[in-house]
């Protein structure tokens, strides 16, 4: 794959072992290749960071098959780190001696750290991702990656110099290596020196240049300008081994351990990059050369291994970047070589202690054979000096070897260290421990027999919600019953098989073989007393319990609690009733990794660890409930107690003496399982078959009776239906005739109603027209009234304004008040006289009216006359008022400072006179 000057892209070209070859080329008049300098994986191992000579930083997404240009620093990078606490950030050391932190998503500068006076050769990040150590030739500096502040600085004399300073994996330990071969170990929290490694023994002095530490931090490997590698044990602080590389190796340039998920952090495979640009991978325990990458023609400049152990990224001498698949490399290395020998030489006795530690690694190729590529090294030969092979070592290794390349001893060590197997690989480990044969043809023949009659109605007894899980359980139990008749008669077989069915429901073959292996090995002697519980196995448990906790056993005996109450429920359910899923898986990790007797010890350990609540029980129902339900118990304590029982139980009562060793199922065909009283099982099978046949005959006869009865009922129902149908037809015809008559009557009524409705509508229309006319007249009248009201309001408003003006003029005419008052009095006198005259006239008219009350017409005429006279008088009064106003106006002309306002308003119907002073 070629990277051009673009920022995004995808990479492909996957080969068998080299996944991809990446070349950064610049297209133009003079095309050239830009060399990569450094690479680094992120903490998960699914992304790769690479920097080239021009300062371009690329991120390669190995899962998404894409790359991205995240930064242009414009200067060469000398070191990279991509395993910070914030997953999108990375550190890059540049040629100007500075260290910068960038973000891959925002592509922005996060921080700029200065302080080195020479180029930074390495960056080591703490396991938490919060701290980092940058190392140059003259100093090492400790940084806080949250604040990007320098915490501490290590300075040394120029004559000494620093080789490397780095964190040990998964610990708070710092290891510093100097050019004078001294190695110091420091506490990170206090920065106090814990110890210094001693000087190597005479004859093994080696100027260290490169270092590697196993993931558990227990072993340090150092190399330099020699073909020797020193293995230090950091716990004992001693040099434990010197590995001699092939003669072609004259100097070591890089050391990297290959991570392994199953070694518990004690890495065994070490990658050694030598001066010939070939990286060889060896096993530091056996000194076996496993495989190598690179060649003299296509040499490796530097390399890094992903934390998950899946990829190896190497920068080649030609500037390209290669990505290797570790799985493909190990598969190639695991191919059986030609007939080779492990030679033990009893040469002359070495007086030097160093020679006693040397283990030599040699290649199986001839001297004249040239390295042509990473896949030419197939045969490997190992010479070990002064190491005597034990006679039974080969046999023991052979017994511990498991399918899938696993080793039982190593698995037990892993289990002892972590308490359980990794959940991701647990099923694979179980299949290897149980050595399942995977007999597809034999299993298919069992499945092809169909569902066994004993488990046809299993859903009634065990109502499982998941139909798929129920089908798998039914098929697994049927296959077991077809394999051996005892399993069709065993009532607890569904309880025993269900946990494995739930785990392996997607692979029925593996599910069947796991259950069969468990029955054959871990359920030994269970069926000898069938249909009774295995009293012999329960006796073993009771003997062990009596030896280790006699008080608890006496308490159980006191309340007549037998082993069928406190042990058999745990055995027949494989402890699935009393443990959670995680606890059960952890327990069976240990059961499958040990002798079958360990299962019985687990049961005893569970009882002993539950002694406190059991000693407080005094009812039989309480004991039964306890062993059928989950309890508050630490399963790790139970497992530890079971191992203690395995080691401390006397041999005469130890179940291991009475139980056979683990025997896997045979390949091709499954073994015959007949360790049970066949006459009882056969008798029960015959009785079951007889009952089944009787039931079938009864069901057949009942079916015939039901069919005859159903036919008679069907004929009777058909006859009744025909008569009912005829009757319904007649009723329907009569009903239709009635409906027609009703419809005609309804139609006539509707016509009459329609005529009445038309008349009503016409009347209503006339009423609406009249109402509309009236509403219009009322509207006009209202408009006139509103107009009059508006005029009245206008008059009132203007009158109010005049009142205000008059009030202001009152003070000005205060001097003429007396004259006006006299004129007013005179006017009032005239008015009084007129009123008295009117009153006399009205009195006379009233008298006349009284006298002529009987003459109605004359009275009316008189009243009209009186009204006419009153109008004339009112007119005379108006004239008089006008005369008064005229006089007042003359007065106002004589007095300039006096203002008199006069307002007279006429309308078309009447006169209105207003005057104000």
């Amino acid at each position: 794959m070629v990277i051009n000057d673009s920022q995004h892209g995808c990479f492909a070209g996957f080969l068998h072992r080299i996944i991809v070859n990446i070349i950064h080329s610049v297209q133009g008049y003079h095309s050239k290749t830009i060399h990569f300098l450094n690479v680094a994986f992120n903490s998960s191992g699914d992304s790769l960071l690479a920097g080239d000579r021009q300062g371009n930083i690329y991120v390669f997404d190995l899962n998404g098959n894409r790359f991205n240009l995240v930064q242009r620093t414009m200067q060469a990078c000398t070191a990279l780190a991509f395993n910070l606490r914030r997953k999108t950030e990375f550190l890059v050391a540049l040629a100007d001696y500075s260290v910068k932190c960038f973000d891959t998503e925002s592509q922005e500068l996060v921080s700029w750290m200065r302080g080195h006076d020479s180029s930074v050769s390495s960056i080591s990040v703490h396991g938490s991702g919060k701290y980092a150590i940058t190392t140059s030739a003259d100093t090492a500096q400790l940084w806080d990656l949250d604040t990007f502040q320098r915490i501490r600085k290590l300075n040394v004399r120029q004559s000494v110099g620093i080789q490397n300073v780095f964190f040990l994996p998964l610990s708070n330990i710092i290891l510093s290596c100097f050019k004078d071969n001294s190695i110091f170990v420091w506490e990170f929290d206090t920065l106090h020196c814990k110890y210094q490694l001693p000087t190597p023994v005479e004859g093994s002095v080696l100027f260290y240049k490169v270092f590697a530490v196993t993931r558990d931090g227990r072993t340090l490997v150092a190399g330099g300008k020699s073909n020797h590698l020193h293995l230090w044990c950091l716990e004992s602080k001693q040099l434990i081994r010197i590995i001699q590389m092939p003669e072609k190796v004259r100097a070591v340039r890089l050391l990297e351990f290959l991570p392994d998920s199953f070694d518990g952090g004690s890495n065994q495979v070490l990658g050694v990059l030598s001066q010939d640009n070939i990286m060889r991978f060896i096993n530091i325990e056996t000194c076996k050369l496993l495989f190598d990458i690179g060649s003299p023609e296509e040499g490796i400049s530097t390399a890094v291994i992903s934390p998950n152990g899946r990829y190896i990224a190497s920068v080649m001498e030609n500037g390209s970047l290669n990505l290797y698949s570790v799985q493909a490399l190990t598969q190639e290395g695991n191919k059986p070589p030609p007939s080779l020998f492990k030679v033990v030489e009893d040469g002359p006795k070495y007086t030097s202690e160093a020679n006693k530690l040397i283990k030599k690694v040699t290649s199986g190729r001839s001297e004249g054979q040239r390295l042509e590529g990473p896949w030419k090294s197939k045969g490997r030969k190992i010479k070990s000096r002064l190491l005597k092979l034990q006679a039974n070592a080969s046999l023991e290794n052979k017994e511990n070897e498991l399918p899938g390349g696993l080793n039982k001893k190593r698995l037990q060590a892993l289990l002892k260290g972590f308490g359980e197997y990794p959940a991701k690989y647990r099923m694979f480990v179980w299949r290897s421990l149980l050595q399942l044969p995977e007999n597809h043809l034999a299993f298919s023949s069992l499945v092809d027999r169909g569902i066994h009659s004993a488990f046809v109605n299993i859903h009634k007894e065990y109502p499982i919600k998941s139909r798929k899980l129920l089908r798998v359980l039914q098929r697994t139990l049927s296959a077991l019953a077809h394999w051996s008749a005892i399993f069709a008669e065993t009532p607890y077989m569904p309880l025993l098989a269900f946990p494995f069915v739930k785990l392996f429901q997607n692979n029925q073959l593996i599910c069947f073989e796991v259950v069969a292996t468990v029955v054959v090995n871990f359920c030994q002697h269970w069926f000898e007393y069938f249909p009774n519980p295995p009293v012999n196995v329960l006796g073993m448990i009771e003997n062990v319990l009596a030896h280790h906790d006699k008080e608890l056993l006496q308490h159980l005996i006191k309340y007549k609690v037998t082993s069928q109450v406190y042990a058999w429920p745990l055995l027949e359910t494989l402890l699935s009733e009393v443990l959670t899923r995680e606890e059960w898986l952890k327990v069976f990790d240990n059961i499958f990794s040990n002798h079958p007797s360990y299962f019985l010890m687990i049961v005893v350990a569970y009882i002993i660890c539950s002694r406190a609540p059991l000693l407080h029980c005094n009812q039989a129902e309480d004991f039964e409930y306890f062993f059928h339900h989950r309890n508050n118990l630490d399963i790790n304590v139970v497992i530890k107690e079971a191992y203690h029982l395995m080691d401390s139980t006397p041999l005469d009562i130890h179940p291991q003496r009475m139980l056979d060793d683990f025997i896997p199922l045979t390949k091709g065909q499954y073994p015959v399982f007949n360790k049970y009283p066949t006459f009882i099982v056969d008798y029960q099978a015959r009785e079951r078959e007889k009952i089944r046949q009787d039931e079938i005959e009864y069901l057949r006869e009942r079916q015939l009776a039901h069919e005859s009865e159903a036919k008679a009922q069907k004929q009777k129902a058909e006859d009744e239906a025909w008569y009912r149908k005829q009757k319904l037809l007649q009723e329907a015809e009569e009903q239709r005739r009635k409906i027609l008559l009703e419809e005609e009557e309804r139609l006539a009524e509707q016509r009459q109603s329609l005529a009445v409705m038309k008349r009503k509508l016409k009347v209503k229309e006339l009423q609406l027209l009249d109402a509309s006319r009236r509403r219009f007249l009322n509207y006009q009248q209202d408009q006139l009234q509103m107009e009059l009201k508006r005029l009245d309001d206008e008059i009132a408003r203007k009158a109010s304004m005049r009142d205000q003006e008059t009030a202001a003029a009152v003070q000005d005419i205060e001097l003429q008040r007396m004259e006006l008052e006299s004129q007013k009095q005179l006017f009032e006198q005239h008015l009084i006289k007129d009123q008295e005259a009117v009153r006399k006239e009205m009195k006379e008219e009233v008298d006349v009216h009284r006298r002529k009350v009987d003459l109605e017409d004359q009275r009316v005429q008189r009243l009209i006359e009186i009204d006419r006279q009153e109008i004339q008088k009112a007119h005379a009064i108006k004239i008089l008022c006008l005369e008064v106003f005229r006089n007042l106006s003359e007065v106002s002309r004589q007095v300039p400072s006096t203002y008199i306002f006069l307002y007279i308003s006429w309308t078309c119907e009447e006169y209105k006179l207003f005057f104000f002073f």
Side-chain angles (χ1 to χ4, degrees):
M1 188 199 77
V2 178
I3 298 179
N4 297 323
D5 285 342
S6 61
Q7 293 189 356
H8 303 275
C10 63
F11 52 92
F14 289 82
L15 304 178
H16 180 55
R17 304 168 184 89
I18 300 179
I19 297 177
V20 67
N21 174 252
I22 305 171
I23 302 173
H24 187 186
S25 64
V26 179
Q27 303 296 334
Y29 182 76
H30 296 289
S31 299
K32 63 178 182 178
T33 300
I34 302 176
H35 287 212
F36 285 101
L37 297 179
N38 289 281
V39 291
F41 281 98
N42 65 350
S43 56
S44 61
D46 54 10
S47 293
L48 176 67
L49 194 72
D52 60 22
R53 187 166 292 171
Q54 290 187 352
N56 300 315
I57 308 296
Y58 292 91
V59 170
F60 297 89
D61 184 359
L62 304 182
N63 292 335
N65 189 26
R66 299 192 61 81
F67 72 90
N68 185 21
L69 174 62
V70 295
Q71 197 57 235
R72 295 182 186 268
T73 62
M74 307 309 293
Q75 52 184 321
C77 66
T78 59
L80 290 171
F82 198 19
N83 54 341
L84 279 61
R85 182 171 65 89
R86 291 179 286 274
K87 304 302 182 183
T88 59
E89 295 181 358
F90 65 92
L91 297 176
V92 54
L94 301 174
D96 61 354
Y97 312 152
S98 66
V99 179
K100 294 183 178 180
C101 179
F102 294 99
D103 192 290
T104 58
E105 291 184 354
S106 63
Q107 300 184 6
E108 295 180 354
L109 176 65
V110 179
S111 182
W112 192 347
M113 298 175 284
R114 297 174 179 269
H116 286 279
D117 297 327
S118 58
S119 63
V120 176
S121 58
S122 68
I123 301 175
S124 176
V125 180
H126 188 262
S128 64
K130 297 181 179 180
Y131 306 96
I133 298 175
T134 56
T135 305
S136 59
D138 56 350
T139 184
Q141 300 185 16
L142 177 63
W143 303 87
D144 185 341
L145 298 182
D146 286 335
T147 61
F148 295 99
Q149 298 294 323
R150 185 171 61 193
I151 301 175
R152 191 67 64 90
K153 182 178 181 180
L154 173 65
N155 291 317
V156 296
R157 296 192 303 272
Q158 188 174 2
S159 59
V160 177
I162 298 175
Q163 285 291 0
N164 202 355
V165 180
F166 55 91
F167 287 104
L168 294 187
L170 305 177
S171 67
N172 285 333
I173 303 297
I174 299 176
L175 196 143
S176 61
C177 311
F178 301 95
K179 292 183 179 180
D180 61 356
N181 258 24
S182 60
I183 299 176
F184 293 87
V185 179
W186 309 78
E187 282 282 357
F188 169 65
D189 297 331
T190 60
L191 294 178
H192 290 163
C193 181
K194 291 184 65 176
Y195 57 86
Q196 178 185 0
L197 293 181
T199 304
V201 295
E202 182 182 357
S204 66
V205 177
L206 173 65
F207 290 104
Y208 296 148
K209 296 289 185 182
V210 290
F211 308 88
V213 182
T214 57
R215 187 171 177 80
D216 59 6
R218 297 179 180 179
T219 304
L220 169 69
V221 181
K225 292 184 178 180
S226 170
N227 66 343
H228 285 187
L229 300 176
H230 286 188
L231 268 70
W232 290 88
C233 178
L234 297 181
E235 291 182 341
S236 62
K237 310 177 187 63
Q238 293 182 357
L239 181 66
I240 58 174
R241 184 172 303 162
I242 299 175
I243 300 177
Q244 181 179 352
M245 298 297 293
E247 295 179 357
K248 294 183 179 181
V249 177
R250 298 189 301 274
V252 178
R253 294 167 48 192
L254 178 69
L255 294 173
E256 282 279 348
F257 273 105
L258 182 63
D260 190 344
S261 302
F262 297 102
D263 56 11
S266 58
N267 308 125
Q268 304 294 319
V269 180
L270 176 68
V272 183
L273 178 62
S274 55
Q275 89 292 337
D276 58 359
N277 302 327
I278 298 175
M279 192 168 187
R280 299 170 174 85
F281 288 82
I282 64 171
N283 189 303
I284 61 175
E285 292 294 330
T286 63
C287 295
K288 179 181 179 182
L289 184 57
L290 303 177
F291 56 88
D292 54 23
I293 57 176
S295 66
E297 293 80 8
E298 298 180 359
I300 296 176
S301 174
T302 185
V304 64
I305 302 175
S306 64
N308 55 17
R310 296 177 59 188
Y311 306 107
I312 301 174
S314 64
V315 177
M316 312 304 290
E317 288 292 327
N318 60 8
S320 65
L321 180 62
N322 280 0
L323 189 65
Y324 297 89
S325 169
V326 175
Q327 182 180 4
L329 291 170
T330 53
Q331 287 177 354
E332 182 71 18
N334 287 334
K335 288 184 178 179
S339 179
L340 298 176
F341 299 90
K342 194 170 185 179
V343 181
V344 179
E345 296 183 357
D346 292 329
K349 301 297 180 181
Y350 289 87
T351 57
S352 172
E353 289 293 329
N355 290 333
K356 293 183 180 180
L357 297 174
I358 294 177
K359 293 188 71 176
K360 187 175 181 181
V361 177
T362 59
S363 173
R365 295 185 292 256
S366 62
E367 291 295 329
Q369 186 176 359
R370 185 171 59 89
L371 286 173
E372 299 179 358
W375 310 112
K376 302 300 181 182
S377 56
K378 294 186 178 179
R380 298 293 186 265
K381 189 175 180 181
I382 304 166
K383 280 190 177 182
S384 302
R385 296 180 179 176
L386 300 178
L387 295 176
K388 296 290 185 180
L389 292 177
Q390 297 181 1
N392 60 346
S394 177
L395 180 60
E396 183 178 357
N397 288 335
K398 185 176 180 181
E399 291 177 351
N400 290 324
E401 290 297 328
L402 297 174
L406 301 181
N407 184 280
K408 190 172 183 179
K409 289 295 183 183
R410 293 178 63 186
L411 287 176
Q412 289 175 342
L414 177 67
L415 185 62
K416 185 177 180 181
F418 294 94
E420 60 181 329
Y421 293 126
K424 183 178 180 181
Y425 302 103
R426 176 177 278 118
M427 301 301 104
F428 171 72
V429 173
W430 281 13
R431 290 167 64 176
S432 299
L433 287 171
L434 299 179
Q435 303 178 39
L436 303 181
E438 299 188 19
N439 299 328
H440 292 274
L441 295 177
F443 177 71
S444 297
S445 65
L446 294 175
V447 173
D448 292 341
R449 298 183 186 182
I451 303 300
H452 196 277
S453 59
F455 303 108
V456 172
N457 298 320
I458 191 174
H459 59 280
K460 297 180 180 179
E461 187 175 359
Y462 300 97
I464 302 174
K465 185 177 181 180
S466 172
R467 297 181 62 85
K468 176 185 176 183
L469 197 60
L470 179 63
R471 288 196 303 270
V472 175
L473 177 64
Q474 196 175 39
R475 291 175 183 173
T476 303
L477 295 176
S478 299
L480 289 170
H482 293 313
W483 175 44
S484 181
I486 182 66
F487 300 125
E489 310 298 330
T490 306
Y492 56 84
M493 187 53 61
L495 299 176
L496 186 145
F498 182 73
F500 299 105
V501 170
K502 196 167 185 180
L503 285 176
F504 298 97
Q505 56 182 306
N506 294 323
N507 193 333
Q508 298 183 30
L509 169 64
I510 300 300
C511 176
F512 169 79
E513 292 189 349
V514 168
V515 177
T517 305
V518 168
V519 170
V520 171
N521 291 277
F522 299 94
C523 301
Q524 296 182 37
H525 309 296
W526 280 29
F527 309 99
E528 295 177 359
Y529 294 90
F530 183 83
N532 299 315
V535 294
N536 48 353
V537 177
L538 298 177
M540 299 180 201
I541 294 176
E542 189 169 348
N543 292 336
V544 176
L545 180 61
H547 180 269
H548 291 280
D549 199 336
K550 189 174 295 183
E551 179 187 357
L552 178 58
L553 181 62
Q554 292 297 330
H555 177 75
L556 296 174
I557 295 174
K558 176 181 178 182
Y559 292 101
K560 298 180 181 180
V561 179
T562 64
S563 56
Q564 296 185 22
V565 176
Y566 64 78
W568 182 234
L570 303 179
L571 290 174
E572 67 178 354
T573 60
L574 299 183
L575 297 107
S576 61
E577 279 188 339
V578 297
L579 299 179
T580 63
R581 175 187 172 89
E582 290 73 17
E583 293 173 344
W584 189 86
L585 292 173
K586 185 180 293 186
V587 166
F588 270 83
D589 284 344
N590 291 270
I591 291 175
F592 288 156
S593 302
N594 289 279
H595 190 271
S597 59
Y598 182 80
F599 177 38
L600 303 184
M601 292 302 187
I602 280 285
V603 175
V604 178
Y606 184 88
I607 299 171
I608 292 176
C609 292
S610 306
R611 71 187 314 272
L614 289 176
L615 290 176
H616 286 84
C617 294
N618 52 18
Q619 299 290 333
E621 294 79 5
D622 296 341
F623 289 102
E624 292 178 0
Y625 181 87
F626 185 87
F627 290 105
H628 283 280
H629 294 79
R630 294 176 183 173
N631 304 290
N632 187 15
L633 196 63
D634 188 356
I635 198 61
N636 295 317
V637 176
V638 176
I639 294 173
K640 186 177 179 181
E641 179 65 21
Y643 280 111
H644 172 70
L645 296 177
M646 287 286 289
D647 297 334
S648 60
T649 302
L651 185 61
D652 56 339
I653 62 172
H654 202 295
Q656 188 171 357
R657 183 176 65 88
M658 291 163 275
L659 298 180
D660 298 332
D661 293 337
F662 178 83
I663 301 175
L665 299 179
T666 56
K667 288 186 176 293
Q669 293 293 331
Y670 296 116
V672 176
F673 188 83
N674 55 1
K675 298 178 181 180
Y676 57 88
T678 56
F679 68 94
I680 295 178
V681 176
D682 294 342
Y683 173 76
Q684 289 190 351
R686 288 194 300 270
E687 289 297 319
R688 184 188 296 275
E689 182 65 22
K690 182 179 179 181
I691 294 172
R692 190 176 69 85
Q693 293 296 336
D694 293 343
E695 185 178 0
I696 292 174
E697 182 64 22
Y698 166 73
L699 292 175
R700 188 180 64 82
E701 293 179 355
R702 190 177 67 175
Q703 182 66 24
L704 291 175
H706 284 328
E707 289 177 357
S708 300
E709 185 179 359
K711 288 181 180 179
Q713 293 291 338
K714 183 180 179 181
Q715 186 62 37
K716 182 179 179 181
E718 289 178 355
D719 295 341
E720 292 179 353
W722 186 83
Y723 285 114
R724 189 165 51 252
K725 186 177 181 180
Q726 294 299 321
K727 184 178 179 180
L728 290 174
L729 289 174
Q730 292 176 358
E731 292 176 354
E733 184 179 358
E734 186 68 23
Q735 187 176 5
R736 295 296 186 278
R737 190 176 292 108
K738 291 180 180 179
I739 291 173
L740 288 175
L741 293 175
E742 292 175 357
E743 288 294 331
E744 290 177 356
E745 293 176 357
R746 189 179 298 110
L747 183 59
E749 293 176 357
Q750 288 179 355
R751 288 175 180 173
Q752 294 177 1
S753 301
L754 183 60
V756 173
M757 188 177 296
K758 286 181 178 180
R759 287 194 296 272
K760 290 181 178 179
L761 288 174
K762 191 64 176 177
V763 173
K764 189 174 183 180
E765 182 180 357
L766 295 174
Q767 291 175 352
L768 289 175
L769 289 174
D770 185 64
S772 176
R773 185 178 59 80
R774 291 178 181 277
R775 186 165 55 252
F776 180 73
L777 292 175
N778 292 333
Y779 173 75
Q780 287 183 337
Q781 186 177 359
D782 292 340
Q783 289 294 325
L784 292 174
Q785 290 178 358
M786 290 175 64
E787 182 68 20
L788 292 174
K789 186 177 181 181
R790 186 182 64 79
L791 292 173
D792 292 342
D793 293 341
E794 183 69 18
I795 293 171
R797 184 179 65 81
K798 291 183 178 181
S800 177
M801 292 174 60
R802 297 302 182 272
D803 288 341
Q804 294 176 1
E805 294 175 355
T806 303
V810 169
Q811 294 179 356
D812 296 336
I813 61 173
E814 186 65 24
L815 296 177
Q816 290 80 17
R817 182 179 62 82
M818 295 301 296
E819 295 179 2
L820 295 174
E821 185 67 27
S822 62
Q823 293 178 3
K824 181 181 178 182
Q825 291 177 358
L826 180 61
F827 177 73
E828 288 177 352
Q829 289 176 1
H830 287 292
L831 289 177
I832 291 171
K833 290 178 179 180
D834 294 338
Q835 288 178 358
E836 288 178 355
V838 171
R839 189 179 300 111
K840 287 179 179 179
E841 293 177 358
M842 289 178 66
K843 185 176 180 182
E844 293 175 357
E845 291 175 357
V846 168
D847 293 337
V848 172
H849 177 70
R850 288 176 180 175
R851 288 191 300 265
K852 299 180 179 181
V853 66
D854 54 329
L855 300 175
E856 185 61 24
D857 294 335
Q858 295 179 5
R859 184 182 64 80
V860 172
Q861 292 296 328
R862 183 63 181 169
L863 288 175
I864 292 173
E865 184 66 24
I866 292 171
D867 289 339
R868 187 181 300 112
Q869 293 176 2
E870 286 179 352
I871 291 172
Q872 292 175 358
K873 290 178 181 181
H875 181 66
I877 292 171
K878 289 181 181 179
I879 295 173
L880 180 61
C881 291
L882 289 174
E883 185 66 26
V884 173
F885 292 154
R886 189 179 300 110
N887 295 332
L888 291 176
S889 62
E890 291 177 359
V891 173
S892 62
R893 283 194 298 268
Q894 295 176 5
V895 185
S897 59
T898 303
Y899 298 94
I900 299 176
F901 299 91
L902 181 63
Y903 175 76
I904 301 175
S905 176
W906 291 270
T907 60
C908 58
E909 296 91 11
E910 58 182 354
Y911 297 94
K912 292 183 181 179
L913 178 64
F914 299 92
F915 58 92
F916 303 90
F917 298 95

